[in-house]
Amino acid sequence: KGNPLLKPEFTDSYEFNIQKSFKNVGFISLELFHRKTNNVISNIYKLREDNVMIQTFENLNKSYSTGIEAMINTPLTKWLLLNTSTSLYNYKLEVENNSEIKNKESFSWNARYNIMFKIKNDLMLQYTGFYRGPSITPKAEKKECFFRT
């Protein structure tokens, strides 16, 4: 079910990044960040009196994310390129429910990689993966997940 009363999310993002390039070897990047999001849009599930579950969206109060991210982009050989990153962060939600504000907080992390194989000058094969650690939502906790393509 849609919600025509949704307000847009707005995020204030503050980042400090240091990057070091290496001749013919790629680069390493380290970033500190803090993000505050207002009017967080979240999936909400409501059980009607006739036992039908309705999924809709609502604006919650605020979320905060503070952490660090490291990234490496380097050719391992002439035909193999690796791009990988990891983020470690603290996530906090302020959830307003019936004029009561509840805070939820968790520490989480994620990692991603992208490996590219050069087969010919104009043909490359790519392998990608992503891991998201356990985290929180306004009503529940998310388990970790991993996918690759």
Side-chain angles (χ1 to χ4, degrees):
K1 177 179 172 184
N3 182 349
L5 302 176
L6 279 178
K7 298 174 191 170
E9 286 185 346
F10 287 102
T11 301
D12 295 324
S13 183
Y14 305 94
E15 301 175 1
F16 177 75
N17 183 283
I18 297 172
Q19 184 174 347
K20 174 69 176 163
S21 296
F22 301 96
K23 188 176 182 180
N24 298 324
V25 184
F27 68 89
I28 295 174
S29 173
L30 184 64
E31 176 181 289
L32 301 173
F33 62 86
H34 175 74
R35 299 178 186 119
K36 174 186 170 189
T37 302
N38 293 302
N39 299 323
V40 174
I41 297 173
S42 184
N43 288 328
I44 303 294
Y45 298 91
K46 297 181 179 181
L47 185 62
R48 293 191 324 204
E49 291 179 12
D50 59 358
N51 288 330
V52 172
M53 184 70 71
I54 301 293
Q55 176 188 1
T56 187
F57 301 91
E58 289 184 8
N59 288 109
L60 303 175
N61 205 7
K62 296 178 179 95
S63 73
Y64 304 88
S65 183
T66 303
I68 187 167
E69 179 175 39
M71 184 170 79
I72 298 172
N73 186 331
T74 185
L76 299 176
T77 67
K78 288 184 178 183
W79 52 270
L80 183 62
L81 175 68
L82 172 66
N83 184 326
T84 185
S85 67
T86 300
S87 294
L88 306 166
Y89 58 95
N90 190 62
Y91 185 65
K92 179 180 174 184
L93 280 171
E94 286 183 2
V95 181
E96 187 172 342
N97 191 5
N98 299 328
S99 298
E100 179 184 350
I101 295 178
K102 296 180 180 177
N103 292 332
K104 295 178 80 174
E105 196 168 344
S106 73
F107 180 80
S108 192
W109 67 285
N110 62 52
R112 65 183 79 218
Y113 61 86
N114 185 356
I115 302 170
M116 295 194 318
F117 302 90
K118 185 175 181 181
I119 297 171
K120 292 183 183 178
N121 283 341
D122 58 350
L123 180 63
M124 295 185 85
L125 179 65
Q126 181 174 315
Y127 184 68
T128 301
F130 179 79
Y131 171 84
R132 185 194 69 220
S135 63
I136 56 172
T137 69
K139 301 263 184 181
E141 293 185 11
K142 288 183 186 178
K143 293 185 177 185
E144 67 274 356
C145 72
F146 175 74
F147 71 87
R148 60 186 178 268
T149 59

